[in-house]
Structures are given as structure tokens and as C-alpha cells.
């Protein structure tokens, strides 16, 4: 499997491409959400690979990417440092702040020698993408944020969420995936329309295998007082043309949160997909792709009859 060292941590990545003769295609990067992996973007990437070279990767601590560098990798990074500043960076422990994940993406693109991209992101990954848009606007052509938005800080509910989230992350026995129908129960809160068993099972597996510190750390950084204050400002200052896609019945990030975020900036176009929840790209594939292609100004070929 292809891995690349990003800021001292081994990251899994893969390309979804289709031959195009001499045509050089733009690159579209896909970013997954909390406790997920690039796996659930596969079908969307396949559908868009006629027009884009699609780059999928697992965020640090999730999917097939490591959570931390090994001792050997950390020692090697220090040994290869050419200045005190580089050495300091090499031994600095990465945090789980979403801004750090945005910087991870910049380093990933540098490592693959990619300058400018389209970005397609979901849930927590969409928050990372929003921060990336504003930190590195010169590197982004257009952005698609699925199931994202702004929220108000509520100390009591946030505290309860963190406490419950901490318990959920701590209690993740590997045998859970062997229980019949547990994948259906696990995904019930995230879906309005059904998705294939294999996709539900993959979500459960990603959740069970996520790095403990990364899973717990990002619960605290993505749902926090700071994010409640920062994200409205980030949406307001976007300069990158952005499509914000919401699921009508999303319980995780209700559509109204997305609508409010889009209202802060005329660069952001809001679309709601009916009869879907937190995974509209999987729950209603045709409508989702149609909306995305309209935003990207892709002319889909008419089906050939006869």
C-alpha cells in the first residue's frame, strides 16, 4: 500500500485515475470525517475520475494512517534536520487541533509535488478543509464541503458530548464487528436512506481501528468553544468558490447549520439533498453527483441509446 511521510507520520494515500491520453487533469483531494477513512469516498472519486485525478488519503490517526511517528522515524527526522528550527519542528509533537490537520494536507501536497487542487471534504474533514482554504487560498481552485456548518457554544451540552464521546472511544472491542446487525445499529444515527452492508461494515471497522488519542483528541478540538467562535469567522472570510452540501435529515450537523454558514459569504453556495442524512454522497448518489457536477461546471455526457 502507498504511504508517504507527512511531518514525521506515515500517511496512507491512493490515486483514483482514468487514462486520458495527453490530457492533464486537475487534481481533486478528498478528506474524510471523524473516525472514518478515505474508503467511503471511493465511489464518488470513481464517478469524478473522468474529469479529475482523485487523491484520497487517511487523516493522521485514522484509517490506515499512523497516529504518531515511530521512535525510529522521529530519530531519523531529527538526524536529517539541517537547522535548529528544522530539528525543533522534527521533535515537536503534533496536536489534534484542526489547524494542524490543515497543515498536514499542505505538507502532503508538497510531498507529492502538487501545487493547486480542488478539495472535496466531509464532516470534520470539511472543517479541516475550510481552515485550509483560508490558510492556503492560492492552492485551492474550488471546494466542496459536505455536512458542514457553524454552531453555537453550549457548555452543558458540549460537556455531555465530550463525556459520552470519551466513553464511546474507550469502549471499542474488536469483537463488536462480529455481532450480527451491529453495523446497522452503529450507522442508524448517521443515515436516513439505506446504504450497502459492505459500506456500513467498513465504517464500523474504521471506527474500531481509529487511533485512541487521535479519536479522542479530535472530539475535543472539533466540537469546542474555540471552534464555535472560529468557524463563523472562517466561513465569512472565504475567498475560494465553495459548495456546501447538507443532508435534509442530518442529526450530526443539521442542514440549518450549513445554511447559516453559507449565508455568511456570497462565495458559498448552499444545496440540501432531500431524504438523506449525514452521508448524502452514499444515500443518494445520482442527486449528489448532479449537484457537484453543476457546481464544478462539468457537462455530463448524454447516455448513448441503441
Amino acid at each position: 500500500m502507498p504511504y508517504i511521510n507527512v511531518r514525521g507520520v506515515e500517511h496512507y494515500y491512493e490515486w483514483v485515475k482514468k487514462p486520458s491520453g495527453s490530457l492533464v487533469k486537475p487534481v481533486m483531494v478528498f478528506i474524510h470525517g471523524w473516525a472514518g477513512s478515505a474508503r467511503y469516498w471511493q465511489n464518488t472519486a470513481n464517478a469524478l475520475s473522468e474529469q479529475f485525478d482523485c487523491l484520497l488519503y487517511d487523516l493522521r490517526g485514522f484509517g490506515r494512517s499512523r497516529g504518531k511517528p515511530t521512535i525510529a522515524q522521529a530519530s531519523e527526522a531529527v538526524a536529517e534536520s539541517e537547522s535548529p528550527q528544522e530539528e525543533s519542528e522534527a521533535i515537536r509533537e503534533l496536536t489534534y487541533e484542526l489547524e494542524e490537520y490543515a497543515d498536514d494536507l499542505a505538507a502532503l501536497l508538497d510531498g507529492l509535488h502538487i501545487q493547486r487542487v480542488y478539495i472535496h471534504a466531509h464532516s470534520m474533514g470539511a472543517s479541516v478543509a475550510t481552515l485550509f482554504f483560508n490558510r492556503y487560498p492560492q492552492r485551492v481552485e474550488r471546494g466542496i464541503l459536505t455536512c458542514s456548518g457553524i454552531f453555537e457554544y453550549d457548555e452543558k451540552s458540549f460537556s455531555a458530548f465530550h463525556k459520552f464521546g470519551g466513553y464511546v472511544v474507550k469502549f471499542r472491542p474488536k469483537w463488536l464487528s462480529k455481532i450480527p446487525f451491529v453495523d446497522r445499529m452503529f450507522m442508524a444515527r448517521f443515515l436516513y436512506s439505506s446504504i450497502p452492508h459492505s459500506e456500513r461494515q467498513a465504517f464500523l471497522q474504521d471506527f474500531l481501528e481509529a487511533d485512541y488519542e487521535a479519536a479522542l483528541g479530535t472530539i475535543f478540538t472539533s466540537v469546542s468553544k474555540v471552534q464555535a467562535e472560529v468557524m463563523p469567522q472562517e466561513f465569512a472570510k472565504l475567498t475560494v468558490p465553495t459548495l456546501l452540501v447538507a443532508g435534509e435529515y442530518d442529526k450530526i450537523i443539521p442542514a440549518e447549520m450549513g445554511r447559516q454558514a453559507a449565508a455568511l459569504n456570497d462565495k458559498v453556495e448552499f444545496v440540501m439533498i432531500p431524504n438523506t442524512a449525514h452521508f448524502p454522497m452514499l444515500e443518494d448518489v445520482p442527486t449528489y453527483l448532479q449537484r457537484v457536477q453543476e457546481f464544478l461546471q462539468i457537462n455530463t455526457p448524454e447516455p448513448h441509446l441503441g
Side-chain angles (χ1 to χ4, degrees), residues 173-185 201 204:
K174 296 293 187 282
W175 49 259
L176 202 62
S177 63
K178 308 299 182 190
I179 299 175
F181 307 115
V182 74
D183 59 305
R184 194 180 296 275
M185 291 185 285
Q201 196 66 30
L204 179 59

Side-chain angles (χ1 to χ4, degrees), residues 122 147 187-188 190-196 199 247-250 273-288:
H122 174 248
C147 301
M187 293 300 294
F190 300 99
L191 301 173
Y192 182 82
S193 302
S194 64
I195 64 173
E199 292 183 339
E248 182 182 11
Y249 296 106
D250 191 347
I273 311 282
N275 301 317
T276 64
H278 197 57
F279 289 91
M281 75 289 267
L282 300 177
E283 296 173 81
D284 185 350
V285 175
T287 305
Y288 184 85

Side-chain angles (χ1 to χ4, degrees), residues 206-225:
D206 284 335
F207 168 71
L208 294 176
E209 293 175 2
D211 176 81
Y212 175 77
E213 289 185 18
L216 188 62
T218 49
I219 281 178
F220 284 94
T221 58
S222 59
V223 182
S224 65
K225 185 173 188 288

Side-chain angles (χ1 to χ4, degrees), residues 122-190:
H122 174 248
S123 196
M124 185 189 88
S127 295
V128 172
T130 304
L131 294 165
F132 184 88
F133 293 171
N134 286 327
R135 290 163 90 87
Y136 306 95
Q138 74 283 2
R139 304 193 75 160
V140 188
E141 193 72 42
R142 282 178 168 239
I144 301 158
L145 307 176
T146 301
C147 301
S148 184
I150 57 174
F151 50 86
E152 293 183 6
Y153 176 68
D154 181 315
E155 184 177 2
K156 189 175 180 180
S157 63
F158 277 37
S159 177
F161 174 80
H162 291 152
K163 186 175 182 179
F164 176 72
Y167 174 77
V168 166
V169 169
K170 190 170 185 178
F171 181 73
R172 291 179 298 161
K174 296 293 187 282
W175 49 259
L176 202 62
S177 63
K178 308 299 182 190
I179 299 175
F181 307 115
V182 74
D183 59 305
R184 194 180 296 275
M185 291 185 285
F186 175 72
M187 293 300 294
R189 181 167 170 74
F190 300 99

Side-chain angles (χ1 to χ4, degrees), residues 22-38:
S22 60
L23 178 67
V24 177
K25 296 180 186 176
V27 172
M28 178 175 284
V29 183
F30 289 77
I31 312 176
H32 65 81
W34 182 80
S37 78

